[in-house]
Amino acid sequence: MAGTSPAMTGYWINGPLSEVLQSRPLRAIESAMSDASPLTVLGIETSCDETAASVVRRSADGKGEILSSVVRSQLDLHAAYGGVVPEIAARAHVDLLDAAIKQAVAEAGLGFDAIDAVAAAAGPGLVGGLIVGVTTGKAIALGLGRPFIAVNHLEAHALTAGLTDDLDFPYLLLLVSGGHTQLLIVKDVGEYERLGTTLDDALGEAFDKAAKLLGLPYPGGPEIEREAARGRPTIPLPRPMLGRPEPHFSLAGLKTALRHEALARAPLSQQDIADLSASFQAAVADIVGDRTVRAFELYRQRLGPDAQKALVVAGGVAANKRLKAALELVAAAHGFRLVVPPPELCTDNAAMIAWTGAMRLSRGLIDNLSAPARARWPLDPDAPPAIGAGVKA
Ligand code: KG4
Ligand code: ZN
């Protein structure tokens, strides 16, 4: 669970400055919890290869407004390596973050004084980058005398839909990104039950690896989608885990099957690449549809028939139109409303971090300056380990 309640945290630092520094964050929390005034939060995202900063306002009635959202992609720096290089990412965050924050505050039309709290992604992710964001966030919070909030990046993906859609708890979340593939019940802020995860590769990772073996550039998801648009989904590929009772995923076998089909056709023509892409994408859509239907059943079992039926899709892979079409079909068939945030909020950004910070602040959930950056940080620490070869989530 991200963060702790104010009652559980020791505030800030000990020493000569402590009186001043303690009183201001406390005042901010008191007004956040009692006032009808809106909360304005600066968010920082550095968990992977996007350096991002954003200012978000949450009004007393719970509505969100993005005042600015700056995302500086490092894609160019990593493209040559076919994936994100952690050390290059961390160094690039150091180079880019200060300017991104300055720009976000300026574009919001505010001064730093108007910021009620600073939220930074503190995990899970590449720890070098996380340390850059967390340290910068703490320094700004300390300088301003405002609360600091260490945000779980996955919680931010989970809560983003509430920023753009009128959405109450609970709901079912399908989180599909480069690093994560999970089906979770979102019961409330900080309350998650994991239903399914991947036993090997994350969905976005599978797209990236598939693209690489077809000779397409990184990131592979959009490339596969583009190629698939002019291909035929006729090459037989397996659908691992279909029909299994637990809504887990396994994608390594699909990737291996794709490799075999590609080798059998080498050297690949443009049409081969398009057909293999379309076939891969169709297999993924079938798998995700089947696993999600299983999660619908578990969701109803856990929460009863009267619980709100909403499926939220988050993470970079949610941008995939074929996947979205498959989810629309299964959601409609099972009476679930499908909520997909706009693509710029599905991929990594800092507005989701700021929004999560505002949600947490409104409940008095802040962190102290010893909050660590965490490479691993499961949303549901009680979830039993999934049995599989290379479990990541
Ligand atoms: O959420 P995200 O921006 O970053 C994290 O991993 O946290 O997700 C990036 C992933 C990459 O693996 C990328 O290939 C995939 O999302 N992706 C897509 C599409 N757009 C991005 N996968 C399939 N279809 C897409 N259109
Ligand atoms: Zn992400």
Side-chain angles (χ1 to χ4, degrees):
M1 225 194 321
T4 47
S5 76
M8 290 162 64
T9 50
Y11 289 110
W12 311 97
I13 58 170
N14 297 315
L17 277 177
S18 63
E19 259 175 46
V20 186
L21 293 174
Q22 282 179 12
S23 61
R24 293 184 68 188
L26 281 170
R27 269 206 305 279
I29 299 160
E30 278 156 16
S31 78
M33 296 184 74
S34 60
D35 239 357
S37 54
L39 297 174
T40 306
V41 176
L42 169 66
I44 296 171
E45 161 59 39
T46 56
S47 66
C48 192
D49 60 343
E50 262 94 22
T51 310
S54 163
V55 179
V56 165
R57 184 166 282 163
R58 183 178 187 273
S59 58
D61 64 1
K63 297 239 179 320
E65 189 189 352
I66 300 173
L67 303 184
S68 64
S69 181
V70 176
V71 181
R72 303 207 169 172
S73 171
Q74 305 175 4
L75 267 185
D76 294 355
L77 300 177
H78 302 284
Y81 303 94
V84 179
V85 183
E87 182 62 22
I88 293 176
R91 284 165 190 261
H93 288 308
V94 172
D95 288 343
L96 299 171
L97 185 58
D98 287 358
I101 291 171
K102 244 187 179 169
Q103 188 184 340
V105 175
E107 283 180 7
L110 302 171
F112 276 91
D113 255 13
I115 303 294
D116 293 311
V118 182
L126 301 174
V127 83
L130 289 168
I131 289 170
V132 175
V134 166
T135 309
T136 307
K138 285 176 182 174
I140 296 172
L142 185 62
L144 294 173
R146 300 290 198 275
F148 173 72
I149 301 153
V151 169
N152 182 314
H153 177 95
L154 302 178
E155 175 162 68
H157 275 304
L159 299 182
T160 304
L163 173 54
T164 49
D165 285 76
D166 208 3
L167 185 70
D168 286 334
F169 298 110
Y171 49 86
L172 180 67
L173 175 78
L174 170 67
L175 173 60
V176 277
S177 71
H180 300 278
T181 301
Q182 297 194 12
L183 278 156
L184 290 154
I185 302 178
V186 180
K187 296 177 181 170
D188 203 339
V189 175
E191 256 188 78
Y192 303 91
E193 181 179 344
R194 196 199 71 197
L195 300 176
T197 184
T198 178
L199 304 185
D200 37 58
D201 293 347
L203 208 53
E205 185 182 5
F207 270 100
D208 294 336
K209 288 178 175 173
K212 197 171 180 180
L213 75 88
L214 296 178
L216 301 169
Y218 174 87
E223 298 291 329
I224 295 267
E225 181 163 22
R226 196 170 309 126
E227 289 295 328
R230 51 179 198 82
R232 297 158 300 196
T234 47
I235 297 167
L237 290 172
R239 270 94 172 128
M241 308 294 278
L242 231 65
R244 293 277 187 95
E246 286 192 315
H248 293 321
F249 295 78
S250 171
L251 297 150
L254 173 59
K255 181 189 61 194
T256 305
L258 183 74
R259 175 175 290 119
H260 288 314
E261 294 293 343
L263 284 175
R265 287 165 177 75
L268 297 178
S269 68
Q270 284 306 310
Q271 193 58 49
D272 287 332
I273 293 173
D275 292 347
L276 286 161
S277 295
S279 304
F280 176 82
Q281 191 174 253
V284 167
D286 285 352
I287 293 166
V288 173
D290 176 83
R291 307 289 65 210
T292 304
V293 168
R294 183 60 195 133
F296 287 156
E297 289 158 12
L298 290 178
Y299 181 90
R300 271 192 297 255
Q301 274 175 27
R302 298 281 201 282
L303 302 183
D306 298 331
Q308 160 173 259
K309 291 201 192 82
L311 169 66
V312 173
V313 191
V317 187
N320 187 284
K321 292 190 189 66
R322 175 71 181 79
L323 196 71
K324 213 162 135 185
L327 290 168
E328 262 159 15
L329 271 182
V330 294
H334 289 78
F336 273 69
R337 169 185 162 212
L338 180 68
V339 180
V340 187
E344 66 276 15
L345 290 179
C346 281
T347 50
D348 285 351
N349 65 88
M352 68 180 192
I353 307 296
W355 173 246
T356 303
M359 296 273 282
R360 297 191 78 83
L361 179 63
S362 72
R363 288 154 193 249
L365 300 169
I366 66 156
D367 297 271
N368 64 29
L369 294 186
S370 59
R374 303 170 62 172
R376 289 177 70 87
W377 189 358
L379 276 184
D380 176 4
D382 300 329
I387 316 281
V391 177
K392 293 186 177 167

